[in-house]
Amino acid sequence: MGTEDAETVAPGTCPTANGMPMLGFGTWQHDDPDQCVESVRAALEAGYRHIDTAQAYENEAAVGEGIAAADVDRDEIFLATKVWRSNLAHDDVLETARESIDRLGVDYLDMLYIHWPTGTYDAEGTLSAFSELYDEGLIENVGISNFLPEQVQEAVDICDAPILANQVELHPLLPQPDLREACENAGVEVVAYSPIARGEVFTQPEIQEVAEKHGVSEAQVSLAWLREKGVTAIPKATGEDHIRDNWESLTLELDREDINKIDSIDETDRQVDPSFAPWN
C-alpha cells in the first residue's frame, strides 16, 4: 500500500480497547525537540489518535507542541504520560502530574501511568494519589507499567479509580503469555512497548516469511500479531515513512497459519532490563 492509500486508513478504523486506540505512537528517545514536534504532528495527521510519552523521556513539552501543531482536536486524542519512579510518593505524584499536564499544554490526561513499581512506589500511597487525580478530573484513567502479575492484582484491589492498562515490553520475542492472562483476569488491558523488539523482529526467519507472504514489512507483521493477541501497541518511529508503515499495519490480517508460525519462535530477547526492574 502506498502513502496515498495509507491516508484512507481513517482514525475511526483503528480498533479500540475500552476506548483506547490499539495502535499508538510512542515517543521514547524522541530527544530532539524539533524532530519530536514534527514526528508527533506527522503521526496525528497520518491517523494516529493515541500518543504516549513519559516524564523520564524529557520531551513532554515537545509532544504537547506537536499535538498543538496538528490539525486534530484535543478531544480526539488519547494522551498518556508516566510518573517516574522517583516521583511516586503520594505528594510527589500530585505535584509532578500537574507539571506534566502543564508541559503538555493540556487540561487533562487520558491516562497517567506508574512507570515502574519501584523507587518510591508504595501501593497504598501512590495509588491513592492517582485516585485523587482521577476524582479531580485531571486524569481519565490510571495506568500501570512494568507490573508483574501479582502487582497487577494488588493495584486493582487497592486503587479506587479504574486501572485501564499495564504497559510492558511485549513482542514476538517476549510474548509474556502468563502476564497477559493475569491482566485479562484482572480486567486490565495490555499495552506493548518496544513492539518490534527494537528492530530484532526484522531478523527472525518466521516473521520474514510472513512479511514476504503478505508483501509487507516485518514491523507490520509484529504489530498485526499483537493486535490479534488483543494487545495495544505503541511503536516508536521518527521518519514519516516508518510512521506511515506502522499505521498501515491496521490493514494487515494474519491467518491462523501466520499466527502459529510466529508463536513457534522459541527465542526470548528482552530489550529493556534495568537492574531496578521488579523481575530482577
Side-chain angles (χ1 to χ4, degrees), residues 229-246:
K229 300 291 185 184
V231 174
T232 295
I234 50 167
K236 172 181 79 91
T238 304
E240 194 162 345
D241 287 349
H242 287 153
I243 289 171
R244 289 189 177 278
D245 184 69
N246 290 340

Side-chain angles (χ1 to χ4, degrees), residues 203-256:
T203 67
Q204 296 301 309
E206 297 88 348
I207 296 176
Q208 290 171 343
E209 289 173 24
V210 175
E212 185 175 354
K213 169 183 169 181
H214 291 279
V216 298
S217 68
E218 289 83 358
Q220 285 193 37
V221 170
S222 188
L223 296 173
W225 175 84
L226 285 163
R227 192 170 66 251
E228 290 286 344
K229 300 291 185 184
V231 174
T232 295
I234 50 167
K236 172 181 79 91
T238 304
E240 194 162 345
D241 287 349
H242 287 153
I243 289 171
R244 289 189 177 278
D245 184 69
N246 290 340
W247 180 249
E248 289 171 29
S249 69
L250 292 171
T251 66
L252 175 59
E253 293 188 17
L254 302 177
D255 59 33
R256 177 47 52 190

Side-chain angles (χ1 to χ4, degrees), residues 2-61:
T3 298
E4 211 170 287
D5 291 324
E7 293 174 354
T8 67
V9 185
T13 65
C14 183
T16 60
N18 286 327
M20 174 178 60
M22 291 186 72
L23 181 60
F25 184 70
T27 62
W28 178 72
Q29 285 191 331
H30 278 251
D31 44 19
D32 179 316
D34 292 339
Q35 182 63 64
C36 182
V37 171
E38 178 56 26
S39 295
V40 170
R41 182 203 63 77
L44 288 168
E45 295 190 351
Y48 292 80
R49 293 294 181 267
H50 178 172
I51 305 294
D52 181 273
T53 184
Q55 293 174 351
Y57 302 169
E58 298 185 345
N59 62 10
E60 288 173 322

